[in-house]
Every structure is written in C-alpha cells, then in structure tokens.
Amino acid sequence: MTETSANKPTLTIRLCAPRGFCAGVDRAIQIVELALEKYGRPVYVRHEIVHNKFVVDGLKAKGAVFVEELEEIPAEHVDRPVIFSAHGVPKSVPEDAQARNMFYLDATCPLVSKVHKEAEIHFRRDREVLLIGHAGHPEVIGTMGQLPVGTVTLIETEEDVEAFQPKSDLPLAYITQTTLSVDDTAGIVAALQARFPDIVAPHKEDICYATTNRQEAVKHVAPDVDAMVVVGAPNSSNSQRLREVAERAGCRVSVLIQRASDINWQDFENIASLGLTAGASAPETLVEEIISAFSERFEVTVETVRTAEETISFNLPRELRDMISPASAATG
Ligand code: SF4
C-alpha cells in the first residue's frame, strides 16, 4: 500500500543556523576550482582539501588529484600546481615544494595561519609553546610543524595538564587548534592557568568563529529535540565536536552522518522533533538530502533557529585574484 502524507507521523526539523561551510572552507574549495580553471588539469591537492568525501569526489571529477605527500606527484607533473589543504601544513612542506621547484598555492585557512604566526611569535620571544589539540589531526601536525621538532608540547586533556613537565625555564604560552570544543578547551585552559598563572594566552581566541557559532547553535537546539543529526565526515574535527556538544546538551540520540544513505532509521523511531546541523566542511546540498530522506517517512516542518549572523570572507591567493571580478572579490 502506498503511504500517503495523511498517515505519515509529523516531524519538526529545527535547522541550526549558522551551519555548514565556513569562510575558510569556501575559500579552499574556490582555490582548487579556480586553479583548475586557470591552469587546466591535473591540479594536485595535498591531503583532502577539506574533510568531506562529497566535496573531494566533486573536485576529483573536475580534474583535481589528491595525494598525501608531495613525493606522490609523478616526476613529469612537478610543473603542475599543488595546493595545500585548509588545515595547514608544517613548514617543511612549502620548503620541500620549493626545493623541488614546484608551483604551490596555499589554501590554509587564514585563521589557522594566524595560529601559526602566534606559535612563531612565542618562539621568537623565547617562550615554551603548548598546543591544545587532538593528536594526529592535520591542523595539529601543521601547527606543531611551524617550530623546530620537539619544541611544542601537545595537550589533549586536563590530565595532560597535570602530567605536563616544562622542557625549559622559559615562560610558557599556549595556542589551540581552531576546531575544538569550546567547553572542553575552557576546562583545559583553566587547568593550565591554575597550574601556571603566568602562562601567555592568545590575544584573541584561537577557536574560530565558525566552530564557536556552530556549537552555540547546537547548544540552543539540542536540549529541546528528540534527536540530533550532524552532517559531516568522521575525520572532520569540528563535525565530531558538534555531535558531542549535542550529546552533552542532553540530546538522547546524537549522530554524525555523511549522507542520507547512512541514516539508521531505528535511531529515529517515534521522534517528533529533530535538530539538524552540518560541520564546516559539509555542503548544504547534503543537508537538503537529509531533509528529503526524512520527508519520505515523516510529514516534515522545517524551522530555522538562527543564533548568529556570519559575514566573514577571506581573500584568495594573489595568483588567483585575476580569476574573479573585482565586484565579487572577497575581503577579510
Ligand atoms: Fe577556518 Fe574555522 Fe573554517 Fe577551519 S572551521 S577552515 S579554522 S573558519
């Protein structure tokens, strides 16, 4: 029997705003697309330009070739452009590219570059640097790689703060990954400041505006819905944090999914309200796909819950600015 709208259960989807693409992700994707347009295919990209399979597959189809290391680029293609991902790279990567006479474009988010500069300033001012972040994340590898090997200490938890032994008598300073949980980081910073009251803090918060705003929106929505869906990739740090924020806000079911085909419908039996958001690297089309999937099973009403306005955008690298009209040139 065909189900009609009359016998579908009702569902209110509370759609978080802001959600999805941030200015850094937008810029990084635009860099790959414009490089393909300007220089033709192939254009190489070191690491996933942003952590989203849908985005990466779309760029592959246009002629981007993704590699993890520069040495994977075939010798006959060293003259092709190579783009560094939004997460940033250790200093050794552009140095290596220069040594190989490669032409590179840096899609590192300017807010990650800001943290790189802070690390360098602390080092020049003879401070010992602690980085709050998650081991193994490319942004953390990139930020630690701004300073000589072994000089930066990674702090992941409050327990790490307790166990930390300074390597020197130098004053201490801390910086953070841009996509952390605002609340967890506040706890780690409080523990650091309690143990080392003189530790130098960033002038301006390192956790970026996009991470902060998306977490705030989830905190607002999650306590009042029966389930929460975060659209994003499992290797996307900011998406993982959104799922955790929803769970901690008291949402009974809080799941991170990449596509509608990943939905486990048993998770959503008997729900009347659903919170929906997307990590900073997840395109809006995937949010729409999720809404459509729920609309097939429920009589859906969508309500947008906006907790912040975002107007920030970033300049493109110099080499690509001739590819856009002055009227649409970004600022920031
Ligand atoms: Fe930049 Fe933040 Fe977006 Fe990362 S999440 S790309 S730091 S704006």
Side-chain angles (χ1 to χ4, degrees), residues 22-25 86 109-112 139 178-179 206 208-211 238 280 314:
C22 59
V25 162
C109 176
L111 299 182
V112 175
E139 183 186 327
T178 56
T179 51
D206 287 338
C208 75
Y209 78 97
T211 298
N238 80 86
F314 298 123

Side-chain angles (χ1 to χ4, degrees), residues 102-167:
M102 288 173 160
F103 166 49
Y104 65 84
L105 293 163
D106 192 356
T108 303
C109 176
L111 299 182
V112 175
S113 301
K114 163 189 161 284
V115 179
H116 290 182
K117 286 193 194 95
E118 285 168 27
E120 283 193 283
I121 290 169
H122 291 315
F123 190 71
R124 277 207 302 276
R125 293 185 181 166
D126 284 330
R127 294 173 184 148
E128 184 176 328
V129 178
L130 287 78
L131 168 63
I132 304 174
H134 296 293
H137 189 278
E139 183 186 327
V140 164
I141 294 168
T143 302
M144 291 184 88
Q146 300 307 303
L147 300 187
V149 174
T151 53
V152 180
T153 302
L154 180 64
I155 300 287
E156 294 189 84
T157 60
E158 290 183 39
E159 291 70 42
D160 288 351
V161 175
E162 269 173 53
F164 169 67
Q165 294 300 331
K167 300 175 199 274

